[in-house]
Amino acid sequence: MDSRDWIRDGLHAVAGAALAVPLAIVNIPLLVLFVVSLALTPVLGLGLVLLPLVTMLIRARADLARRLAAGYRVAIARPYRPRPERAVPGGIRHYRWLVTDPATWRDAAWLLPGAIAGLALALVSLGIVAYGAEGILLIPLWVSLGVDGYGYGVIWPIDTIGEGFLSLPQGAAILAIGVAAAPHLRQAEAYTARLFLAPTRAAELRLRVSQLTVTRADTVDAQAAELRRIERDLHDGAQARLVSLGMTIGLAEEIIDADPATARKLLAEARENSTTALHELRHLVRGIHPPVLAERGLEGAVRALAMALPIPATVTAALPGRLDTPVESAAYFAVAEALANATRHSGAGNAAVELWHTGDLLLLRVSDDGRGGADPDRGTGLRGIERRLAAFDGTMSLSSPLGGPTVVTMELPCALSSPRTSPSSGTV
C-alpha cells in the first residue's frame, strides 16, 4: 500500500473515531426509550404508538452502523422482515410485526455493548493520536508561550529544552502508530456490531428465499419479453420476406411461358429477398447466441465487440478457461449493453473492458471517460443488466459521478468448464 493511502485511511478512521463518540452516547437514550415504550404498552396502549417510533429510530441508528462498518470492509446485511400489508403505524398489526421480528430485539441488545465498545475503542484511538500530537506540539508551544520549564504538559511534562526536543520524534512515532492503528480499531468495532446486527442463519435463509422469488419473477418476465422480441422480429422481418418470396416465385411460374423476361426479373427479385431474409435470420440468431461467442469464447467475443465500437476500446482479460454457455451468454450481453451505454449516452471518447476469474467468481468491469451521471432508473439498460445477472445470482455496482468516469462492475458466480490452451490476457 502507498504511504499516502495508509495515511489517508488512518486519518479517515480517526475522524470516524471522533464521530463514534457521540454515536455511542446516542445509544443509551435509545435503549431507555425502548424499555419505556415496552413498559407503556399496557398503559392506555401508548406503546402501540411509541414503540414503532422508537424502533424506527433504533433501526436508523443500526443502519448507520452498518454503513459505517461497510466503509471498513465489514459487510452487515439488513435482517428485517418485510412489513406486512395493511400494517398501519399505531395499529396492532404493525406493533406485532415489530415485536415478533427477532432483528428488533437484536438491535436493542446491541445498543449497550455497541455503546461500550464504540466509546472505548474510539477513546483509545483518539487518545493515542492526541498523545502523539501533544509530543509534537510541545516545542512550538514552549517557544510561542515563552514558558521557562514547560511543566504543565498533560501527559508530556518536561523541565528542560533537551527533554522538549526529545518529545518531537517520540510524538511523531506515537502519532504514526495511532494513525496506522485507527482503521483496525474501527474494524474491531464493526466486527462487534456484526455480532448483533447481522442476520441470523434463519434470517439469511428467509432473505435468500425472498431474493430467489424476486429473481425468478424477473427471469420469467425477461424470458417472456425475449420470446416476444424474437416473435416480433420473425413476423416483421424474415417471415414477411419469405411470404413475399413465395408470392414472387408463384407469379413467375404463372407468366414464365407468356413473358420469360419478366419471369426472370421476378426470380432475380426472389433471390434478393431470400438473401435478405437469410441475413435477417442470421442477425436474429446472433441476438440469441452470437456465433463468435460459441467459436471464440467470452474473451474473443468481447474483443470482437470492442473492435466494432465507434470509439477506441481496450480489452484486458485473464480467463484461464471457458465458462458454461449460459454464463458466457449473460456476461457477453451484459458487457455489450454497458458498452452500448458508453457510446450512446455518455459521450465517451474511450472505453475499457476488464475480465478476470478468481475462485468461483467471474468479474467484469466496463469503464468509460464520458460525462458520467448514469442512473439505472432513467432507462439506460442498466436495469436490464441487473436482471440478466440476477438470474445467475450475479450483481452489478455502478460508479458514475457527474463529470465521469463511469465504471460498471459486474460479478457472476461460476466455475470454469474447460481450460484454455492459448494465452488469455492482453489488450485490444
Side-chain angles (χ1 to χ4, degrees):
M1 180 185 294
D2 188 88
S3 60
R4 289 174 295 182
D5 292 337
W6 75 262
I7 292 174
R8 182 185 65 249
D9 293 345
L11 293 177
H12 180 267
V14 171
L19 176 64
V21 174
L23 289 179
I25 296 174
V26 166
N27 282 19
I28 304 304
L30 285 177
L31 179 59
V32 173
L33 286 173
F34 183 76
V35 174
V36 170
S37 63
L38 285 175
L40 289 179
T41 300
V43 182
L44 301 176
L46 293 178
L48 294 177
V49 178
L50 184 59
L51 181 65
L53 294 176
V54 175
T55 302
M56 290 301 105
L57 290 176
I58 294 175
R59 290 190 175 184
R61 172 67 184 94
D63 285 338
L64 178 58
R66 294 184 181 97
R67 289 195 297 271
L68 292 175
Y72 300 105
R73 297 181 292 277
V74 179
I76 307 176
R78 297 184 86 243
Y80 307 116
R81 294 176 179 175
R83 187 170 69 176
E85 296 181 1
R86 300 185 300 277
V88 181
I92 188 63
R93 188 187 297 269
H94 190 263
Y95 180 86
R96 187 183 297 113
W97 164 59
L98 293 173
V99 172
T100 57
D101 189 346
T104 298
W105 300 97
R106 289 173 64 84
D107 285 353
W110 163 77
L111 289 173
L112 183 57
I116 295 173
L119 189 61
L121 293 171
L123 292 178
V124 169
S125 180
L126 295 174
I128 296 174
V129 172
Y131 187 25
E134 187 189 9
I136 295 175
L137 294 174
L138 284 181
I139 292 298
L141 284 174
W142 194 340
V143 174
S144 62
L145 297 176
V147 177
D148 183 16
Y150 182 65
Y152 59 82
V154 178
I155 45 182
W156 285 86
I158 58 175
D159 297 314
T160 66
I161 189 68
E163 293 179 358
F165 278 112
L166 286 175
S167 73
L168 290 175
Q170 296 178 58
I174 294 173
L175 180 60
I177 292 173
V179 171
H184 301 287
L185 293 173
R186 294 291 86 219
Q187 276 190 333
E189 181 188 354
Y191 283 121
T192 303
R194 192 168 69 175
L195 293 174
F196 293 89
L197 302 182
T200 61
R201 183 168 181 79
E204 287 179 343
L205 290 174
R206 186 177 63 252
L207 293 172
R208 179 62 175 157
V209 170
S210 177
Q211 179 188 10
L212 290 175
T213 301
V214 174
T215 300
R216 182 182 63 183
D218 290 341
T219 302
V220 171
D221 292 342
Q223 292 298 324
E226 186 71 7
L227 289 174
R228 288 193 298 270
R229 182 190 68 81
I230 294 172
E231 182 181 12
R232 183 180 64 251
D233 290 346
L234 284 172
H235 182 272
D236 298 341
Q239 178 178 321
R241 292 194 180 277
L242 291 174
V243 171
S244 175
L245 175 64
M247 294 175 63
T248 302
I249 294 176
L251 182 59
E253 288 177 343
E254 293 178 0
I255 67 173
I256 191 168
D257 293 329
D259 191 352
T262 302
R264 282 194 295 270
K265 291 180 181 180
L266 290 174
L267 290 174
E269 180 183 341
R271 184 174 63 250
E272 292 178 0
N273 283 338
S274 67
T275 302
T276 304
L278 181 61
H279 175 75
E280 290 179 350
L281 285 172
R282 286 174 176 170
H283 182 74
L284 180 62
V285 170
R286 192 176 296 114
I288 299 172
H289 188 75
V292 67
L293 187 60
E295 296 170 2
R296 304 184 192 176
L298 180 59
E299 179 187 341
V302 170
R303 290 187 186 280
L305 191 66
M307 288 190 290
L309 291 177
I311 61 174
T314 62
V315 177
T316 304
L319 300 177
R322 290 292 298 267
L323 306 168
D324 291 338
T325 299
V327 175
E328 276 192 338
S329 181
Y332 172 81
F333 285 111
V335 171
E337 184 64 41
L339 288 174
N341 287 339
T343 57
R344 295 174 187 169
H345 307 294
S346 72
N350 294 276
V353 182
E354 298 173 72
L355 317 169
W356 72 98
H357 189 274
T358 174
D360 290 330
L361 197 65
L362 172 67
L363 296 105
L364 312 107
R365 181 179 296 133
V366 179
S367 57
D368 66 71
D369 59 358
R371 68 178 65 94
D375 185 354
D377 295 326
R378 293 195 308 196
T380 56
L382 294 173
R383 290 297 183 201
I385 294 176
E386 288 183 331
R387 288 193 296 269
R388 189 181 294 274
L389 299 178
F392 300 89
D393 288 339
T395 60
M396 183 200 77
S397 60
L398 173 68
S399 173
S400 185
L402 290 176
T406 296
V407 180
V408 180
T409 303
M410 297 162 278
E411 298 182 357
L412 271 171
C414 66
L416 298 176
S417 59
S418 60
R420 288 177 57 102
T421 57
S422 58
S424 60
S425 63
T427 60
V428 169

